C-alpha cells in the first residue's frame, strides 16, 4: 500500500514539474493577454538594454533596465539629440552627463511593474542588448505587435512554447 502511494505521489510530482514556474526571465507577451511571445533568460539584478531609433531625430536611444522578481527598474538613459520626447535634465538624485556627444541620465531608479512597447514597423528598429550581444526584436516578434515586457518566472512548458531571445 505504501509503495503504491509513493508511486502515485512520485508520478504526480513528475507530471507537475513542467508546469512549475522557476526560471527568471524578462517576458514579452501580447499586451492584452498573458500569451508568451518571447523571453530573455537572465538572473535577478542583471541588466539589459532596449535600443531604438528615435522617429524624429533618427538617432539611437538606449534605455538600461535591471529586473527583480516583480519589477523592472530603469537605471540609465542615453541619447544623442535634445528634441521632442527627450528629457533636458535629470530628476532628484539622478545625474545628467554629456560625454562624447551623448547625453546620459544615470543613477535612475524608475520602477515599473511592466513596460508596454509597440515593436517598430518603420524606423524604430527595436533591439535588445544583453551581455554585449544585440538581438533584433522584430526577428522574434512581428513588427507592429504591441507587447508587454514584464519580469516573471516561467515554467518549462512555457519555455518550450516561447522563443528564447538570447538563443537566436
Amino acid at each position: 500500500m505504501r509503495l503504491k502511494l509513493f508511486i502515485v505521489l512520485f508520478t504526480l510530482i513528475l507530471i507537475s514539474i513542467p508546469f512549475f514556474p522557476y526560471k527568471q526571465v524578462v517576458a514579452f507577451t501580447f499586451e492584452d493577454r498573458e500569451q508568451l511571445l518571447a523571453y530573455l533568460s537572465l538572473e535577478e539584478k542583471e541588466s539589459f538594454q532596449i535600443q531604438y531609433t528615435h522617429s524624429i531625430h533618427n538617432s539611437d536611444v538606449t534605455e538600461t533596465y535591471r529586473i527583480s522578481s516583480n519589477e523592472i527598474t530603469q537605471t540609465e538613459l542615453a541619447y544623442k539629440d535634445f528634441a521632442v520626447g527627450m528629457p533636458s535634465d535629470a530628476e532628484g538624485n539622478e545625474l545628467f552627463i554629456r560625454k562624447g556627444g551623448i547625453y546620459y541620465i544615470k543613477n535612475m531608479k524608475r520602477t515599473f511593474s511592466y513596460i508596454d512597447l509597440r515593436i517598430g514597423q518603420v524606423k524604430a528598429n527595436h533591439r535588445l542588448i544583453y551581455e554585449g550581444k544585440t538581438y533584433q526584436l522584430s526577428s522574434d516578434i512581428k513588427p507592429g505587435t504591441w507587447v508587454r515586457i514584464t519580469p516573471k518566472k516561467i515554467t518549462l512548458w512555457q519555455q518550450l512554447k516561447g522563443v528564447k531571445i538570447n538563443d537566436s
Side-chain angles (χ1 to χ4, degrees):
M1 184 67 171
R2 292 178 105 185
L3 181 60
K4 284 184 182 183
L5 180 61
F6 174 77
I7 291 172
V8 168
L9 288 174
F10 184 74
T11 304
L12 287 173
I13 290 170
L14 277 178
I15 291 170
S16 67
I17 286 175
F19 305 101
F20 178 75
Y22 75 98
K23 183 150 190 78
Q24 182 67 53
V25 301
V26 174
F28 293 78
T29 61
F30 281 113
E31 179 275 333
D32 58 348
R33 54 189 189 274
E34 286 287 314
Q35 183 183 345
L36 184 67
L37 296 168
Y39 64 93
L40 172 69
S41 181
L42 75 167
E43 300 297 321
E44 282 192 36
K45 308 274 189 226
E46 284 189 303
S47 63
F48 67 96
Q49 296 173 311
I50 294 178
Q51 187 175 65
Y52 59 93
T53 304
H54 195 282
S55 63
I56 296 172
H57 316 146
N58 290 320
S59 61
D60 285 341
V61 176
T62 305
E63 302 172 346
T64 303
Y65 297 95
R66 186 177 52 245
I67 67 158
S68 65
S69 60
N70 60 354
E71 294 180 326
I72 298 177
T73 303
Q74 185 176 12
T75 60
E76 183 175 303
L77 177 66
Y79 53 96
K80 294 179 184 173
D81 298 298
F82 277 118
V84 178
M86 302 313 302
S88 59
D89 204 354
E91 297 178 7
N93 292 327
E94 299 171 350
L95 302 171
F96 186 81
I97 300 166
R98 183 171 187 226
K99 182 178 177 184
I102 299 175
Y103 300 99
Y104 294 91
I105 299 179
K106 296 182 175 260
N107 199 37
M108 297 173 79
K109 292 182 174 89
R110 298 182 188 186
T111 303
F112 311 94
S113 54
Y114 61 86
I115 298 168
D116 285 343
L117 173 72
R118 186 171 303 274
I119 304 300
Q121 291 179 285
V122 181
K123 284 187 181 183
N125 188 26
H126 287 98
R127 287 129 11 235
L128 189 135
I129 302 169
Y130 176 64
E131 292 187 332
K133 293 183 183 171
T134 302
Y135 305 93
Q136 299 288 328
L137 289 178
S138 62
S139 295
D140 297 314
I141 303 169
K142 183 180 174 190
T145 303
W146 185 1
V147 296
R148 178 157 287 170
I149 304 168
T150 54
K152 67 188 309 182
K153 292 191 183 213
I154 63 172
T155 67
L156 179 59
W157 180 250
Q158 289 171 309
Q159 288 176 64
L160 294 172
K161 289 174 38 180
V163 174
K164 184 175 180 184
I165 291 173
N166 47 335
D167 263 357
S168 12

